[in-house]
């Protein structure tokens, strides 16, 4: 990409939960957008979306739609990325991909700007945005990793329905109303739309996010394992994850237990987190302060609290990590990557 002052941007999946937030984030952060091209499936081609106060017609995402594009932000599912990312790269675009399609390919940088921005320069056309649950955990653990090393992570997630898309948001809204009204419910989307069985999400907790793998872990759980090791560049870290969907609209929460390599000082951990980029420490038990999804929703930062040393393992640290899964977990992280690329030119 040549040096410019304005960049032509395509958003693939512009009508979706993540895509809509990408439009909002590009606008709010005043990304230097030249031509703007919202793309989606043939179903919504012809519909209008608003960007920077102007109305744009959605076009169908086909190879030719990437002609003249500098940045293509993909968020329409892995199969669409697999089908179209190379078409965008061939036309000279840099693809910032939000799906799991390319994350684990060795030649594709997997980037959380606060953690491993230096990987961006190694791209060959595609840069992958990590999974939402991984991104917020990395933002919070990076200062701890740098100071003490990490041997092991045990994480349980409490994930918002927005991670599963617009249809899942609507399902929780409608189902909550139906249950309160005593109307029979008909789950159709969660836990995984394409699977045969669907379960109640309102007033419930579902221990399945994405499909299951042979080893008994869900694919979402394996993303946390594999992506963590790739982002920190440390295959010696042991990670075990349990991913759970809860009836929250926006904001993933995570109970994270880490065992550091070197001994840590809790007061020092606090000050490391206080000065970490993109992180806010909210941890004051006296004042009953800790992070919650309702406070993190619509915010850029990752919030950390409930810091406490394990009672039995001297290098065991417990914490609670919360962030907006659609912002830092997806749209914001992708826009930050694009901003870094612009800055490095
Ligand atoms: P969503 O609300 O269901 O939106 C899906 C978007 O994809 C819509 O804009 C849809 O357009 C578009 N789309 C569907 N089929 C298409 C096709 N054949 N060609 C072009 N566009 C197509 O889902 P979402 O929550 O925004 O998530 C979208 C994807 O982003 C997910 O599948 C996932 O891979 C990724 N994601 C990543 C993270 C993360 O952790 N970083 C978090 C959430 C999602 P129409 O209006 O035309 O249907
Ligand atoms: N199935 O980007 O359902 O790999 O919350 C993110 C979120 C996949 C992804 C979810 C998912 C991804 C979800």
């Amino acid at each position: 990409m040549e040096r410019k002052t304005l960049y032509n941007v395509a958003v693939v999946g512009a009508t979706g939960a993540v895509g809509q937030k990408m439009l909002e984030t590009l606008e709010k952060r005043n990304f230097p957008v030249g031509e703007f091209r919202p793309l989606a499936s043939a179903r919504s081609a012809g519909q209008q979306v608003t960007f920077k106060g102007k109305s744009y017609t959605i076009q169908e995402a086909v190879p030719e739609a990437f002609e003249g594009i500098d940045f293509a932000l993909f968020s329409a599912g892995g199969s669409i990325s697999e089908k179209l990312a190379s078409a965008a790269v061939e036309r000279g675009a840099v693809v910032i991909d939000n799906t799991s399609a390319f994350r684990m390919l060795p030649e594709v940088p997997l980037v959380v700007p606060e953690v491993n921005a230096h990987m961006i320069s190694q791209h060959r056309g595609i840069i992958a945005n990590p999974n939402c649950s991984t991104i917020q955990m990395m933002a919070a653990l990076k200062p701890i990793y740098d100071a003490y090393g990490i041997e092991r992570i045990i994480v349980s997630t409490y994930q918002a329905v927005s991670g599963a898309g617009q249809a899942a948001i609507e399902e929780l809204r409608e189902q909550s109303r139906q249950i309160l009204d005593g109307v029979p419910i008909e789950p159709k989307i969660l836990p995984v739309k394409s699977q045969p069985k669907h379960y109640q999400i309102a007033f419930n907790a579902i221990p399945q996010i994405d499909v299951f793998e042979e080893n008994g872990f869900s694919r979402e759980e394996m993303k946390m394992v594999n992506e963590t090791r790739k982002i920190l560049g440390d295959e010696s870290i042991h990670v075990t994850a349990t991913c759970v969907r809860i009836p929250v609209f926006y904001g993933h929460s995570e109970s994270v237990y880490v065992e550091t390599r070197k001994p840590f000082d809790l007061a020092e951990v606090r000050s490391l987190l206080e000065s970490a980029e993109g992180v806010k420490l909210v941890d004051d038990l006296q004042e009953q302060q800790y992070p919650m999804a309702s406070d993190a929703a619509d915010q850029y930062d990752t919030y950390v609290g409930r810091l406490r040393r394990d009672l039995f393992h001297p290098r065991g640290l417990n914490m609670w990590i919360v962030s907006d899964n659609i912002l830092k977990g997806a749209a914001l992280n992708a826009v930050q990557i694009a901003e870094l690329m612009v800055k490095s030119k």
Side-chain angles (χ1 to χ4, degrees):
M1 210 188 304
E2 56 192 296
R3 176 191 276 276
K4 297 183 178 180
T5 49
L6 293 177
Y7 299 84
N8 299 338
V9 176
V11 172
V12 187
T15 54
V18 175
Q20 282 291 308
K21 218 50 176 177
M22 283 176 164
L23 269 60
E24 194 187 303
T25 306
L26 288 166
E27 178 170 343
K28 265 198 190 154
R29 293 172 70 92
N30 213 6
F31 189 81
V33 179
E35 193 188 329
F36 176 68
R37 213 174 288 165
L39 306 175
S41 78
R43 289 181 298 274
S44 16
Q47 285 177 22
Q48 303 289 307
V49 289
T50 307
F51 177 64
K52 292 193 178 179
K54 259 183 72 181
S55 191
Y56 290 83
T57 304
I58 294 174
Q59 299 176 32
E60 185 178 356
V62 292
E64 298 72 36
F66 297 98
E67 213 62 67
I69 290 297
D70 299 307
F71 288 108
L73 309 186
F74 274 73
S75 185
S79 61
I80 285 81
S81 293
E82 273 161 20
K83 209 170 78 186
L84 288 171
S86 63
V89 173
E90 280 161 21
R91 285 167 178 78
V94 169
V95 167
I96 301 174
D97 186 47
N98 243 298
T99 76
S100 54
F102 310 117
R103 287 180 192 148
M104 294 313 297
L105 297 183
E107 68 273 22
V108 174
L110 183 62
V111 176
V112 181
E114 296 85 347
V115 179
N116 63 342
H118 62 278
M119 293 304 292
I120 291 176
S121 61
Q122 297 185 20
H123 81 86
R124 294 201 231 147
I126 301 177
I127 297 165
N129 213 50
N131 175 259
C132 38
S133 304
T134 313
I135 292 177
Q136 67 183 66
M137 186 167 82
M138 290 300 93
L141 292 189
K142 169 70 171 170
I144 293 165
Y145 178 78
D146 285 347
Y148 314 108
I150 291 176
E151 245 169 40
R152 179 176 197 214
I153 302 170
I154 301 173
V155 51
S156 297
T157 69
Y158 304 67
Q159 297 186 219
V161 296
S162 52
Q166 202 55 54
I169 296 173
E170 277 148 34
E171 178 162 84
L172 173 59
R173 193 174 287 137
E174 191 182 352
Q175 205 178 81
S176 302
R177 207 173 272 137
Q178 289 171 329
I179 289 175
L180 291 172
D181 289 345
V183 174
I185 60 162
E186 236 186 294
K188 286 194 190 94
I189 307 289
L190 290 165
V192 179
K193 191 181 172 199
S194 61
Q195 290 220 298
K197 298 217 165 91
H198 299 107
Y199 301 117
Q200 175 181 331
I201 181 62
F203 311 101
N204 205 5
I206 304 177
Q208 179 184 1
I209 297 183
D210 214 333
V211 298
F212 288 110
E213 303 210 335
E214 290 286 302
N215 63 8
F217 285 87
S218 69
R219 200 168 277 175
E220 184 82 350
E221 289 159 354
M222 291 310 297
K223 289 172 210 161
M224 294 194 79
V225 175
N226 297 323
E227 294 177 19
T228 293
R229 292 152 61 103
K230 176 166 175 175
I231 293 163
L232 293 176
D234 187 343
E235 295 290 322
S236 75
I237 302 177
H238 293 185
V239 184
T240 194
T242 302
C243 292
V244 180
R245 187 81 66 190
I246 60 162
V248 159
F249 287 108
Y250 296 97
H252 288 354
S253 302
E254 302 178 339
S255 164
V256 176
Y257 168 78
V258 296
E259 283 170 10
T260 58
R261 271 188 201 289
K262 293 191 232 152
F264 64 84
D265 174 73
L266 201 52
E268 188 181 60
V269 170
R270 280 179 208 286
S271 78
L272 287 172
L273 288 168
E274 263 162 351
S275 51
E277 208 189 323
V279 174
K280 280 220 165 73
L281 183 67
V282 180
D283 193 23
D284 187 340
L285 302 188
Q286 224 87 97
E287 294 294 326
Q288 231 184 319
Q289 295 293 312
Y290 36 74
M292 289 183 284
S294 56
D295 295 322
D298 244 349
Q299 303 298 314
Y300 286 162
D301 286 319
T302 295
Y303 296 84
V304 186
R306 296 299 320 279
L307 283 182
R308 61 212 191 274
R309 190 184 293 278
D310 184 68
L311 294 177
F312 302 96
H313 194 295
R315 287 174 283 106
L317 174 66
N318 286 294
M319 61 183 93
W320 181 249
I321 303 172
V322 183
S323 194
D324 187 318
N325 55 302
I326 297 297
L327 270 176
K328 185 57 188 166
L332 171 64
N333 199 73
V335 171
Q336 285 176 316
I337 292 171
E339 288 170 350
L340 282 175
M341 298 198 67
V342 165
K343 219 165 80 182
S344 74
K345 272 169 218 312

